[in-house]
Amino acid sequence: MLTEIRIDGLGVISAATAQFHEGLTVLTGETGAGKTMVVTSLHLLSGARADAGRVRLGAEKAVVEGRFTVDELNEAARTEVGAVLESAAAEADDDGSVIAIRTVGKDGRSRAHLGGRGVPASVLAGFTAPLLTVHGQNDQLRLQRPEQQLAALDRFAAETVEPLLRGYRKHRKAWLAARERLLERTARSRELALEADRLTHSLTEIDAVRPEPGEDLRIVDEVRRLSDLDSLREAAVVAHDALAGPADAPDAGSGALELLGTARARLEGAEDPALTALAPRLADAIAVVVDLTTELSGYLSDLPSDPGALDSLLTRQAELKTLTRKYAADVDGVLAWAEESRARLASLDVSEEAIAALAAEVDAAAEKVRAAAVKLSAARTRAAGKLAAAVSAELAGLAMGKARLEVTVRQLVASAQDSAPLTVDGVELHAGSAGVDEVEFRLSAHSGAQSLPLSKSASGGELSRVMLALEVVLAGSDHGATMVFDEVDAGVGGRAAVEIGRRLARLARTHQVIVVTHLPQVAAFADTHLVVSKSDDGKGRVDSGVQSLDREERVVELARMLAGLDDTETGRAHAEELLETARAEREPASA
């Protein structure tokens, strides 16, 4: 629900604040006072395109700030709003309300904020979509479009249509994907065959070398060792001989091991306890030297004795470099490329058997789409009659008693250029994302009149009433949302105006309804009456503000709307009568 709006520098409004409440709120005022700017501000909060021409003359920017609450929404709408707030890291105020702001500079640049965070206008639109529906005169014209009429029918029958539509879209996605694979195989068979040959040749080359993970790095280390083999062997031999003594020249001198043994024997044979106490430490030293000697012997025995070992490693290294030059930077990359290529090669099977199998997969997927489309069309056809009857009944109450709305569901025949036609009962249909159907609203304005599409049969006033009747019928699907009507009563007067007021009041039982109106018969049904007034500073500069009216002020405003009779007793008496009549008609309904 919209609880408050603040407007700065927008059109004729320099600064204005308005409080909104539950039920029906009307905005009235003289022509040019700025009522349209209130609707424009709500369009901006809905993410509409910013227009620098709307910025007040002399102002640097226009700012619209709206405060919303979400507790009144149904569970699905609250979930949708919550997801938008979470994705934008937006925060609610302490009272749980959320502030949305739209700024438009005189240079045309626009900025949006939601819950204290800067966001794209599209995010603001996602937030307000479940909260706010604005019906301006352009929105009435959109009702003439087939896609809008289809959306209205689906909204009316959402409980049965939505699951069927989800299933249809799921099967259609799988069908289009399989169809794309088949088309690729058949249209690019020569190209794919060449690619398969290249991959097969490359994998054969890799398999012939049989590289192992990390092998190239290991060979580098091993080649480095073998290149220094003589110096490594000499160092190990000298160290071994120093510890154990030279094995091939026993008379050349004793090694460290023999000398340590002699030292330990002397200490153990001494009679001084101080010397004998040192003997165990020499025993530890001997053990360490024995271990070192053993390890050096093992190292020497592991050193290659084959003079051709280095040549073999260099040859293997060259084989691996042949692969890394072609396929990847290292052997591990070559192995990863080979794995990916094997998977790609498996998908490039262009044999007749593979194509036939894929064609069968496409046919099976198409059958699922066909069955889902038929069920979806049947559900829409059943709902179409119910929607037409419900809207026609509402039109009867809007002084269009002889008018009848027809809702026709037709199948969309595929064009010659259709990229994915679907055959249903021998007819090729266009399988769009919303199904194979198109919907047309036709209006018969009076008894005996031929039914015609809305674009050809409905006047501006009739189109306004059709839209209102449709919204009343669809009201249960979005309980708690705010609905804004800009001059929905255009071209209407007399009894029809009273009926419009009555239906807006009925709609306000489940929604917050905000209406811009010129008709006192509509304004009389309001729970809250706001007036947009303008003032002139005498220098040609007009300013407007928004004021909430009490009962006495409402009487004066309604009298003004009655052809300017605000300064006559007759006008005020008529206004009093309108208020009492509206109150009497509302109270039984709400009891």
Side-chain angles (χ1 to χ4, degrees):
M1 186 177 81
L2 176 66
T3 62
E4 183 180 3
I5 190 170
R6 178 177 175 82
I7 306 170
D8 293 300
L10 186 66
V12 297
I13 300 176
S14 60
T17 301
Q19 305 285 334
F20 294 95
H21 305 280
E22 296 180 349
L24 175 60
T25 298
V26 298
L27 286 96
T28 63
E30 295 181 0
T31 301
K35 300 185 298 299
T36 302
M37 290 301 100
V38 176
V39 178
T40 298
S41 67
L42 295 176
H43 271 297
L44 287 172
L45 290 179
S46 299
R49 181 178 176 273
D51 182 3
R54 296 291 191 181
V55 179
R56 181 176 172 82
L57 185 64
E60 291 296 319
K61 61 184 178 181
V63 181
V64 178
E65 178 180 325
R67 184 181 293 272
F68 295 88
T69 59
V70 300
D71 294 340
E72 305 83 1
L73 298 175
N74 58 38
E75 183 177 354
R78 284 200 305 272
T79 301
E80 184 177 349
V81 168
V84 174
L85 292 175
E86 183 178 356
S87 66
E91 297 181 357
D93 272 8
D94 293 340
D95 61 357
S97 63
V98 180
I99 296 177
I101 302 175
R102 187 78 182 276
T103 303
V104 182
K106 66 179 183 179
D107 59 356
R109 294 184 179 180
S110 169
R111 298 182 65 187
H113 291 81
L114 180 63
R117 301 283 184 174
V119 296
S122 58
V123 173
L124 200 61
F127 168 73
T128 55
L131 287 163
L132 190 64
T133 302
V134 182
H135 293 286
Q137 295 182 14
N138 290 334
D139 301 277
Q140 297 173 24
L141 295 177
R142 282 201 293 269
L143 183 60
Q144 298 175 351
R145 300 176 184 173
E147 66 272 16
Q148 296 292 326
Q149 296 173 6
L150 175 62
L153 177 60
D154 286 354
R155 182 178 159 199
F156 174 73
E159 186 174 343
T160 54
V161 167
E162 281 188 4
L164 295 175
L165 184 57
R166 285 196 300 271
Y168 165 82
R169 285 173 173 165
K170 174 184 174 182
H171 294 311
R172 177 177 178 268
K173 182 178 180 181
W175 170 57
L176 291 178
R179 193 173 184 275
E180 182 64 25
R181 291 194 298 271
L182 177 60
L183 290 174
E184 182 185 29
R185 294 273 182 97
T186 54
R188 299 179 56 222
S189 58
R190 179 180 176 83
E191 179 183 345
L192 295 176
L194 290 174
E195 182 183 356
D197 286 344
R198 288 194 297 269
L199 290 175
T200 300
H201 174 76
S202 298
L203 290 172
T204 300
E205 182 181 19
I206 294 172
D207 290 341
V209 177
R210 299 175 63 184
E212 297 180 359
E215 184 180 2
D216 51 343
L217 299 179
R218 291 196 300 272
I219 287 179
V220 169
D221 292 339
E222 190 65 19
V223 166
R224 186 179 297 114
R225 285 184 64 210
L226 293 179
S227 299
D228 298 333
L229 183 61
D230 292 338
S231 61
L232 294 175
R233 187 187 305 277
E234 181 183 1
V237 168
V238 170
H240 180 275
D241 290 349
L243 295 176
D248 55 349
D251 297 332
S254 300
L257 189 59
E258 183 178 348
L259 294 174
L260 287 171
T262 302
R264 185 182 65 174
R266 290 298 186 94
L267 292 177
E268 288 176 345
E271 296 181 358
D272 189 344
L275 290 178
T276 57
L278 297 176
R281 295 170 63 183
L282 281 172
D284 294 338
I286 291 171
V288 172
V289 172
V290 169
D291 290 341
L292 286 171
T293 303
T294 303
E295 291 184 21
L296 286 170
S297 298
Y299 178 83
L300 287 168
S301 63
D302 289 340
L303 286 176
S305 57
D306 182 6
L310 180 59
D311 291 338
S312 298
L313 283 174
L314 292 174
T315 300
R316 179 62 175 172
Q317 189 178 50
E319 293 176 345
L320 295 178
K321 284 184 176 180
T322 300
L323 301 181
T324 55
R325 278 196 301 268
K326 291 183 178 181
Y327 306 111
D330 54 28
V331 167
D332 288 349
V334 171
L335 292 172
W337 184 90
E339 184 177 356
E340 294 172 2
S341 297
R342 292 185 206 282
R344 173 63 177 166
L345 186 60
S347 69
L348 292 179
D349 188 353
V350 291
S351 64
E352 292 184 4
E353 294 80 4
I355 292 177
L358 189 51
E361 181 184 346
V362 172
D363 291 340
E367 181 58 37
K368 292 181 180 179
V369 179
R370 188 178 300 111
V374 169
K375 290 181 181 178
L376 181 59
S377 297
R380 284 172 170 161
T381 301
R382 289 192 298 269
K386 298 177 182 178
L387 176 60
V391 174
S392 296
E394 287 296 326
L395 291 176
L398 292 171
M400 294 176 65
K402 301 299 182 180
R404 291 291 179 271
L405 182 74
E406 296 180 6
V407 181
T408 304
V409 180
R410 295 192 299 264
Q411 292 181 324
L412 277 167
V413 178
S415 64
Q417 293 78 31
D418 200 306
S419 60
L422 179 70
T423 303
V424 179
D425 295 331
V427 180
E428 286 194 338
L429 304 178
H430 172 67
S433 61
V436 298
D437 309 312
E438 65 176 349
V439 172
E440 184 179 53
F441 286 3
R442 303 174 68 89
L443 183 67
S444 173
H446 54 82
S447 179
Q450 180 183 2
S451 64
L452 295 172
L454 282 182
S455 59
K456 298 180 179 179
S457 63
S459 65
E462 288 171 337
L463 191 59
S464 297
R465 282 179 276 178
V466 170
M467 187 189 70
L468 177 58
L470 185 63
E471 287 296 347
V472 171
V473 171
L474 300 179
S477 63
D478 53 359
H479 188 287
T482 297
M483 306 188 73
V484 182
F485 294 93
D486 182 16
E487 299 188 12
V488 69
D489 49 18
V492 178
R495 184 62 187 171
V498 175
E499 293 299 334
I500 287 178
R502 180 182 290 115
R503 268 146 183 83
L504 288 169
R506 183 197 305 175
L507 194 60
R509 298 179 203 165
T510 54
H511 297 69
Q512 181 189 40
V513 180
I514 302 171
V515 182
V516 177
T517 182
H518 288 287
L519 297 180
Q521 297 97 321
V522 174
F525 280 88
D527 299 297
T528 302
H529 191 149
L530 303 177
V531 64
V532 182
S533 58
K534 65 178 180 179
S535 60
D536 194 327
D537 62 2
K539 299 178 181 179
R541 189 176 178 88
V542 177
D543 198 3
S544 293
V546 182
Q547 176 187 355
S548 179
L549 304 183
D550 59 23
R551 179 177 172 78
E552 290 303 317
E553 291 169 331
R554 289 188 69 188
V555 171
V556 174
E557 175 65 8
L558 291 177
R560 182 199 63 78
M561 298 171 71
L562 290 164
L565 299 177
D566 52 311
D567 57 351
T568 68
E569 289 297 327
T570 302
R572 295 191 181 197
H574 193 179
E576 289 275 9
E577 183 181 357
L578 275 177
L579 285 173
E580 286 301 316
T581 300
R583 183 188 61 80
E585 293 196 10
R586 284 202 314 268
E587 287 183 352
S590 60

